[in-house]
């Protein structure tokens, strides 16, 4: 497996211990490996972030917010606004994964799962089939907040989470995961590449303007300004061609694939995550959640119908 897949497509699912050793260079920075706790449990341990890490978050958060209105897609902006409205996202605190995971469960059924070791592309994609997003707790070196040698939890929180709160993106992510189950190694490679050019570095056109929906763009000030400028090459998204396109994770992307937001929605063959197959309606909260899920489904169908009719 090459570096790109193991480090970026699989979203920094390297050993946190290795990441800490390399990025903190022996300095006395709290190591995320100590924060994972019992990752097999139902509750994600709450993390007490160091002041320097919170400062890095604040720096990135405030810088990105200046670019978001111009460059982020409407789905990202809507989810980000909701995260702020619910008090989960502020410039002054790194959100707790448990709180964010609960938010996603309510919105789209996705959940975050902290991971401490190396994941293969196959394992990472398989988790998407069950609407589970493997998420690192590693934080980049606070002295270099704009330098990201590999994905960290700030990338996950500012890039992936808002998009996973969108029903269409959640469904697309799950569909990639479902397609990976039992797939050949060659097809896993193609699916990982598709993931790269969509979920990580996808761009789209909304109301005649290019916008970003990829987490790798949305979580990076430099990539955000670069991706939607005239510098990089842009091609229409074509699954067959995009799936075999070579890419690099060493620098700003030289090539992006764009979609139209009116492209037909991938709604066929939806399979609910296992934990949603049986719903016990024994209290008001359970009924409320089911109502929300149905509402999301109807919203998704309406968008798909609108796309077909245009
Ligand atoms: Fe990522």
């Amino acid at each position: 497996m090459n570096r790109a897949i193991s480090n970026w497509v699989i979203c920094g699912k390297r050993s946190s211990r290795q990441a800490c050793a390399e990025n903190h260079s022996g300095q006395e920075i709290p190591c995320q490996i100590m924060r994972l706790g019992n990752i097999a449990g139902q509750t994600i341990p709450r993390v007490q972030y160091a002041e320097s890490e919170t400062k890095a978050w604040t720096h990135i958060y405030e810088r990105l917010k200046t670019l978001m209105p111009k460059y982020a897609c409407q789905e990202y902006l809507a989810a980000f606004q909701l995260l702020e409205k619910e008090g989960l996202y502020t410039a002054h605190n790194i959100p707790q994964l448990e709180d964010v995971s609960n938010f996603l469960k309510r919105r789209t059924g996705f959940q975050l799962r902290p991971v401490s070791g190396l994941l293969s592309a196959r394992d990472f994609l398989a988790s998407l089939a069950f609407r589970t997003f493997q998420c690192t707790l590693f934080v980049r070196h606070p002295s270099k907040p704009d330098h990201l040698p590999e994905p960290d939890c700030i990338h996950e929180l500012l890039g992936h989470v808002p998009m996973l709160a969108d029903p269409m993106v959640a469904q697309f992510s799950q569909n990639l995961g479902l397609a990976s189950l039992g797939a050949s190694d060659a097809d896993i490679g193609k699916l990982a590449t598709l993931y790269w050019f969509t979920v990580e570095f996808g761009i789209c056109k909304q109301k005649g303007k290019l916008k970003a929906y990829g987490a790798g763009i949305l979580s990076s000030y430099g990539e955000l300004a670069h991706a939607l400028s005239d510098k990089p090459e842009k091609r229409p998204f074509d699954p067959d061609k995009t799936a075999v396109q070579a890419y690099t994770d060493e620098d700003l992307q030289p090539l992006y694939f764009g979609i139209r937001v009116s492209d037909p929605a991938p709604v066929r063959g939806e399979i609910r995550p296992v934990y949603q197959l049986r719903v016990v309606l024994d209290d008001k909260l359970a009924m409320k959640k089911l109502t929300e899920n149905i509402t999301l489904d109807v919203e998704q169908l309406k968008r798909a119908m609108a796309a077909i009719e245009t």
Side-chain angles (χ1 to χ4, degrees):
M1 184 171 298
N2 64 35
R3 179 174 181 273
I5 291 177
S6 63
N7 287 2
W8 268 102
V9 175
I10 306 312
C11 299
K13 307 306 181 293
R14 296 173 69 196
S15 157
S16 296
R17 188 185 303 279
Q18 182 184 0
C20 284
E22 291 179 2
N23 290 284
H24 293 169
S25 304
Q27 297 181 38
E28 293 183 3
I29 302 293
C31 178
Q32 310 306 318
I33 191 71
M34 304 303 292
R35 297 169 172 168
L36 288 170
N38 177 19
I39 62 173
Q42 293 298 309
T43 302
I44 303 173
R46 304 188 83 78
V47 174
Q48 183 69 44
Y49 289 101
E51 186 178 342
S52 57
E53 291 173 321
T54 303
K55 279 185 178 176
W57 164 268
T58 301
H59 172 85
I60 297 160
Y61 192 98
E62 291 180 339
R63 287 191 87 199
L64 284 174
K65 279 201 73 170
T66 64
L67 294 183
M68 283 178 192
K70 184 176 181 182
Y71 296 125
C73 66
Q74 59 192 29
E75 288 77 8
Y76 181 91
L77 293 174
F80 200 92
Q81 190 176 36
L82 197 56
L83 284 159
E84 287 193 324
K85 186 180 176 185
E86 295 201 8
L88 292 171
Y89 277 25
T90 73
H92 305 296
N93 285 299
I94 300 177
Q96 295 293 328
L97 288 194
E98 176 68 10
D99 298 339
V100 174
S101 185
N102 288 336
F103 169 84
L104 286 176
K105 282 180 193 173
R106 293 197 307 273
R107 295 293 301 170
T108 59
F110 251 92
Q111 62 180 337
L112 303 181
R113 185 176 188 276
V115 62
S116 62
L118 184 67
L119 282 182
S120 67
R122 183 182 293 281
D123 288 344
F124 177 73
L125 291 169
S127 71
L128 295 178
F130 300 92
R131 296 208 175 201
T132 297
F133 188 82
Q134 308 275 4
C135 191
T136 181
L137 286 173
F138 159 70
V139 177
R140 69 194 69 184
H141 198 293
S143 69
K144 298 178 181 177
D146 295 320
H147 177 62
L148 188 58
E150 62 188 44
D152 66 350
C153 76
I154 295 178
H155 161 74
E156 319 273 39
L157 288 164
L158 292 180
H160 287 289
V161 166
M163 294 311 301
L164 287 173
D166 180 74
M168 297 289 284
V169 175
Q171 188 59 58
F172 176 70
S173 299
Q174 184 184 16
N175 286 353
L176 278 180
L178 290 168
S180 77
L181 301 179
S184 66
D185 288 346
D187 284 344
I188 290 291
K190 290 180 179 177
L191 290 168
T193 302
L194 285 175
Y195 183 91
W196 174 269
F197 283 113
T198 55
V199 178
E200 286 292 354
F201 289 98
I203 59 174
C204 61
K205 188 168 272 190
Q206 291 182 325
K207 297 181 180 176
K209 294 182 179 178
L210 282 179
K211 302 286 183 178
Y213 72 90
I217 305 173
L218 291 163
S219 61
S220 165
Y221 187 88
E223 191 89 32
L224 198 50
H226 165 78
L228 302 176
S229 72
D230 294 332
K231 294 177 184 173
E233 181 183 356
K234 301 178 187 69
R235 298 179 196 165
F237 177 77
D238 178 327
D240 293 330
K241 294 178 181 175
T242 305
V244 294
Q245 175 64 47
Y247 59 88
T248 175
D249 67 344
E250 299 295 335
D251 204 348
L252 297 174
Q253 295 298 296
L255 168 65
Y256 299 89
F257 287 93
I259 60 168
R260 291 181 299 113
V261 292
S262 58
D263 282 347
V267 295
R268 287 179 296 174
E270 178 183 3
I271 298 176
R272 285 288 183 190
V274 169
Y275 66 83
Q276 288 185 343
L277 289 176
R278 295 178 62 191
V279 180
V280 180
L281 299 175
D282 57 352
D283 58 27
K284 287 184 179 178
L285 181 61
M287 294 182 74
K288 184 171 179 286
K289 285 183 177 177
L290 179 62
T291 304
E292 288 175 350
N293 283 337
I294 292 172
T295 303
L296 287 171
D297 286 347
V298 171
E299 184 180 316
Q300 182 177 336
L301 281 170
K302 284 167 67 177
R303 290 173 63 176
M305 287 301 296
I308 292 169
E309 289 169 357
T310 55

